[in-house]
Amino acid sequence: MSQSIDESTQTTEIGHDEYDPVGTLALIGLYFLILVALWIFVYFVEFLGNDPTVVTGSALLLAGVGHR
Amino acid sequence: MSNTYLDQFPAEAKVVRAAFYSSFFALAIGGLFGIVQTLHRTDVYRFMDSADYYTVLTAHGVLLAITFTIFFLVGVFTWAVTTSLDRGVENLRFTWAWYGLMVIGTAMAAIPIFAGFTDSIDMSASVLFTFYAPLQGHPLFYLGLVLFVVGTWLAGVDWFRSWRAWKAEHPDERIPLPTFMVLTTTIMWYIATLGVAAAILLFLLPWSLGLIESVNPLLTRTLFWFFGHPVVYFWLMPTYMMWYVMLPKFSGGKLFSDPLARVVFVLFLILSVPTGIHHQYLDPGIAEGFKFIAMTNTMFLLLPSLLTAFTVVASMEHGARQRGGTGYFGWLKALPWRDPVFTGMALAGLMFAAAGFSGMVNAGMNINYLVHNTFWVVGHFHLTVGTAVALTFMAVTYWFLPQITGKALWSRPVALVQVVLWFVGMTFMSNAMHRAGLLGVPRRTAEPQYEGVTFEAAVGSVGELNAQIALGGVILTISLVLFFANVIATGFNGRSDELPSNGYADALSGPEDAPLVLDNLKLWTAIAIVLVIFAYTFPLLSIVQRGGLFGPEVITFPVSLESLAPIAAALEYGGLATVDGVASAVTGALEPGRIAIAEVVR
Amino acid sequence: MNVHTYEKLWLIAAMVLIVGFIATITYGSVGLGIAMVGDQQETVEPTELADDERFGEPRVEQIGDDEYEVYVVAQTFSFQPDPIEVPENSQVTFHVTARDVIHSFSLAGTNVNTMVIPGEVAEMTVEFDDPEVYGVVCNEYCGPDHHNMEGQVHVVPEDEFDLTEVSVDAPDEVDAGESATVDVTVENRMLDGLETTAELEIGGETSVEEVALEGGEATEVTFTVDPETLEADDSDVEWAVTVDDHEERGTVTVIDAGDEDGGDDGGETDE
């Protein structure tokens, strides 16, 4: 079966101390940047740009009183 | 000579097989309903009344989110416990008993759901997967759910019995990782299901039987979400288990860290439940402070998933480097992309990374004004349960099938095409769903085309989004057909002697590196309970104080008139279903009544 | 327990993400004043909404210069009132409850979105700047006709907005040769005064009366219609009362003395 074929393509044995997952660090660093960018886009552009938004009524009332 | 699971545990393999086949049966029907809905909603092809859409949606949700996933995972958990403890179940009849109970429960819940399609049986449970009161389903629906959950409880008892028996013989050994994952998940499930058990047994079932007059809709809804959020981890944790203990093996490497895997499962155990209120950010009657606490818990629940992302990818990279892979990204080419099991699971993981983002948005309290109950949410969970979980389960099936049948898989190329098609189809569908959600297109509606409401897209159009959703749905359906072709054709294969052995991945950093305290299940259970009490006592007390334990007087809105009759009569009706003449006469009389109810409610 | 340095880095990055998310949301709440639907409002009895102070009559109410309150009832499968009309540059607080099952009240394409739960009242304060028509959908499944549950919020220019209510008391029948009286009640539910006219059009003739009202006042205008005006080919005489853009219509039937069937005969000859 192919499972055994897959295992036979193993060329080296890498132990715990000699393995640094540098590719994982690169990939996950990329993921981190994508997450931050998407979050900023969805919160500040999609959400805050989607007016009107529910606001604190009482705070605005106070502000309104201040104007008068 | 092979050394498959079937060779090691022939009796248990039959149970696992039965559980898998039950799960696939639910997947087939649920999937069929998926394409029916997709075409109806997008107005590509409509052949049924829009009122029936909600019956289809109920069946789709219950069959896929509950039946498909849970039947599969009890199979996987039984395999995991027996394999990692290297001992059979303690009492095979008990094992078959919980499986039987789950089947009976499913059938009982399915009867009223499917009866919703025909007017000749006056029974219905078109209340969707969330069954929010005052919408009221037939008592049989609630009873079926209860039996199903009790079945899963007994399955948990089975796994705990195996562990205790093993522990008596191996007092000084660490709990093997797969069993550790099963046990922590089971404890989480016990705590989580208390919510739905309370909602059904104390309120909804007595109410549907006419024993109590009314319920507090906000209370039963909150109890539902007490269960409704952690249930997603009940599907997700077996998926994580596959990623931790199987994917490294298929990649040609070892699990990067056994101790961190344990930490992740402990975090899920203690943080899964006290988060349900994040489904209720826009509910009136729950104070903003409680919502904020739920958000904080939810956000910290990201931690175990983000840790999993690292550990699983690092395990894959270990495999790739052992296979000769090099470079920062070049190692990706050394992975076994021709293996459908690996590719399916890897693509499922990739989709879960995307789902992680929409989940982070869902977790954000005030941003829910934008996304709550829109199509965005549907896009999100088609990436999580619909891909991360479903695609992993389908992919790993290609490894499990030979293990539990003793037969070689019918076709690996077809399997490879199947998993890739699922990924492509879901990319189209879910991406368009997310975008439609941002325009405010609601979820759970038969016809999102309104007379006085338009959805304006800054980029593209609603028509383009609908086309993508329909296209995705068609591709997913083709993928499902290929999956079932492979499962069925494998069943017709002869027994093979050259199958891979049963087993799971070794760890680079093994359990000996994990602090002993991680295996202290009592401690974590206690912490989990304390956190649940902290997160839920005050909201529940406040809800009861405001609306009463049994609520204000509500207008019951039965989706079928029959629901007030006692169960015995209901069963009798089920029997009558075949006698068309009698039944249609009854329906003829009741149909105006149903309309009258809608009028009265007005 | 040895955790690889890279994974420790990722652990820190993950915590930064989590704290960053919570900080963003907190900024939205505290910095921008985005409030959650909460437990500010007292509960109601869903079966007794008809007698409820807040929801007995679903309506728009003015509470300050540019401040309005809207009381909305969601029920299978509509919203009341519909459409909801409010002026531009206003601050509107919606109070929404349900008569039967769980619904939602969601203005499509905006961040105005709440669950509507029987017994509970959702409160949301929103600022509307420019005139616009918003579609309202129910986004929680509420029964077989859920997909037809929709409404609208009309934000209209200030000069087109009023809270004037007009009711007309006119006779259904009048004897031939008699005069008729039409009473028009005009109520100004705005806080500011209202100066306008009430206009009665009947039998081709128009009469106009001035109406001046303080905020919150109501008045009655009486029109007396001469017998000649009521003489027409048809024994059914149509009338219309107009106050600003409010119009009430009706018919008066003129009955010939001694011939009770006169009206019917007239109708027949008309065909």
Side-chain angles (χ1 to χ4, degrees), chain C residues 65-206:
Chain C
D65 268 353
D66 299 313
E67 289 160 28
Y68 296 84
E69 286 189 338
V70 187
Y71 295 90
V72 184
V73 174
Q75 58 189 25
T76 49
F77 299 94
S78 65
F79 297 100
Q80 291 177 329
D82 180 40
I84 296 165
E85 201 177 88
V86 291
E88 62 187 324
N89 299 318
S90 60
Q91 182 191 310
V92 177
T93 302
F94 292 97
H95 301 259
V96 197
T97 195
R99 202 185 295 283
D100 37 49
V101 298
I102 296 182
H103 299 277
S104 98
F105 176 80
S106 311
L107 271 63
T110 77
N111 295 328
V112 182
N113 184 4
T114 183
M115 299 305 300
V116 184
I117 299 176
E120 294 287 348
V121 177
E123 184 197 286
M124 294 185 293
T125 299
V126 179
E127 287 179 315
F128 290 110
D129 298 332
D130 298 319
E132 173 110 47
V133 173
Y134 295 101
V136 181
V137 297
C138 168
N139 67 21
E140 185 54 80
Y141 168 65
C142 56
D145 256 334
H146 163 57
H147 45 275
N148 291 326
M149 182 162 172
E150 59 172 296
Q152 285 190 333
V153 171
H154 294 179
V155 181
V156 300
E158 215 147 352
D159 54 1
E160 287 175 28
F161 182 79
D162 62 38
L163 286 173
T164 308
E165 285 192 8
V166 179
S167 61
V168 179
D169 184 15
D172 290 335
E173 295 176 342
V174 73
D175 288 333
E178 301 270 312
S179 60
T181 48
V182 176
D183 294 325
V184 178
T185 310
V186 183
E187 187 186 358
N188 172 26
R189 290 181 34 235
M190 301 277 284
L191 297 179
D192 286 338
L194 173 74
E195 276 187 30
T196 182
T197 56
E199 189 183 286
L200 172 71
E201 200 188 326
I202 187 163
E205 295 204 12
T206 305

Side-chain angles (χ1 to χ4, degrees), chain B residues 456-481:
Chain B
E456 283 160 30
V459 180
S461 68
V462 172
E464 170 243 318
L465 294 175
N466 278 340
Q468 283 197 45
I469 291 168
L471 173 67
V474 170
I475 297 176
L476 288 167
T477 309
I478 296 170
S479 172
L480 267 189
V481 170

Side-chain angles (χ1 to χ4, degrees), chain B residues 240-261:
Chain B
Y240 277 21
M241 179 203 268
M242 293 295 101
W243 293 350
Y244 275 112
V245 307
M246 302 305 287
L247 193 54
K249 175 178 140 98
F250 301 137
S251 314
K254 290 179 175 174
L255 172 60
F256 188 54
S257 170
D258 168 300
L260 271 177

Side-chain angles (χ1 to χ4, degrees), chain A residues 1-7 9-16 19-28 30-31 34-35 38-43 46-47 50 53-54, chain B residues 250 252 254 256 299 306 309-310 313-314 317-318 321-324 328-329 331-332 336 339 353 356-357 360-361 366-367 369-370 376 399 412 438 498-500 508-509:
Chain A
M1 269 300 283
S2 43
Q3 234 84 51
S4 42
I5 297 166
D6 287 338
E7 277 154 26
T9 56
Q10 180 177 327
T11 49
T12 44
E13 176 77 37
I14 301 174
H16 178 258
Y19 173 51
D20 277 329
V22 61
T24 303
L25 188 69
L27 271 186
I28 213 138
L30 208 61
Y31 182 52
I34 293 172
L35 283 180
L38 275 177
W39 175 261
I40 290 172
F41 174 73
V42 173
Y43 198 90
E46 290 285 348
F47 174 51
N50 203 40
T53 298
V54 177
Chain B
F250 301 137
K254 290 179 175 174
F256 188 54
M299 289 294 189
L306 292 171
F310 191 98
V313 175
E317 186 186 348
H318 180 248
R321 297 208 184 275
Q322 290 203 136
R323 294 161 60 94
Y328 281 103
F329 298 106
W331 57 273
L332 287 165
D339 176 10
F357 175 70
M360 289 161 192
V361 170
N366 41 41
I367 200 171
Y369 279 124
L370 174 68
W376 167 283
W399 181 81
R412 283 168 62 88
L438 291 178
E498 293 161 15
L499 299 172
L508 273 177
S509 166

Side-chain angles (χ1 to χ4, degrees), chain B residues 310-534:
Chain B
F310 191 98
T311 310
V312 169
V313 175
S315 309
M316 283 164 56
E317 186 186 348
H318 180 248
R321 297 208 184 275
Q322 290 203 136
R323 294 161 60 94
T326 51
Y328 281 103
F329 298 106
W331 57 273
L332 287 165
K333 285 182 294 193
L335 288 166
W337 294 106
R338 287 180 180 282
D339 176 10
V341 186
F342 168 81
T343 302
M345 289 172 75
L347 292 179
L350 182 60
M351 280 297 217
F352 194 64
F357 175 70
S358 53
M360 289 161 192
V361 170
N362 295 343
M365 188 173 68
N366 41 41
I367 200 171
N368 264 257
Y369 279 124
L370 174 68
V371 295
H372 179 81
N373 264 4
T374 67
F375 223 17
W376 167 283
V377 178
V378 186
H380 168 72
F381 63 68
H382 277 85
L383 289 183
T384 54
V385 65
T387 305
V389 174
L391 185 54
T392 298
F393 284 0
M394 288 190 283
V396 87
T397 295
Y398 297 132
W399 181 81
F400 269 114
L401 273 185
Q403 294 297 320
I404 56 175
T405 59
K407 300 166 180 177
L409 187 69
W410 174 61
S411 168
R412 283 168 62 88
V414 168
L416 187 59
V417 170
Q418 187 267 320
V419 296
V420 172
L421 278 184
W422 191 272
F423 177 80
V424 172
M426 201 55 93
T427 305
F428 277 113
M429 191 169 95
S430 143
N431 177 50
M433 284 173 166
H434 277 98
R435 281 177 54 206
L438 291 178
L439 309 182
V441 175
R443 66 186 284 195
R444 297 184 147 180
T445 175
E447 300 175 22
Q449 295 87 19
Y450 296 88
E451 280 170 26
V453 185
T454 45
F455 303 103
E456 283 160 30
V459 180
S461 68
V462 172
E464 170 243 318
L465 294 175
N466 278 340
Q468 283 197 45
I469 291 168
L471 173 67
V474 170
I475 297 176
L476 288 167
T477 309
I478 296 170
S479 172
L480 267 189
V481 170
L482 295 182
F483 175 74
F484 290 115
N486 226 334
V487 170
I488 294 168
T490 301
F492 286 110
N493 267 353
R495 292 288 284 263
S496 168
D497 283 340
E498 293 161 15
L499 299 172
S501 299
N502 183 30
Y504 55 93
D506 292 330
L508 273 177
S509 166
E512 63 282 355
D513 293 333
L516 264 177
V517 67
L518 281 175
D519 286 10
N520 189 341
L521 295 178
K522 280 184 188 144
L523 172 69
W524 305 121
T525 308
I527 293 176
I529 291 172
V530 167
L531 282 180
V532 168
I533 292 172
F534 176 67

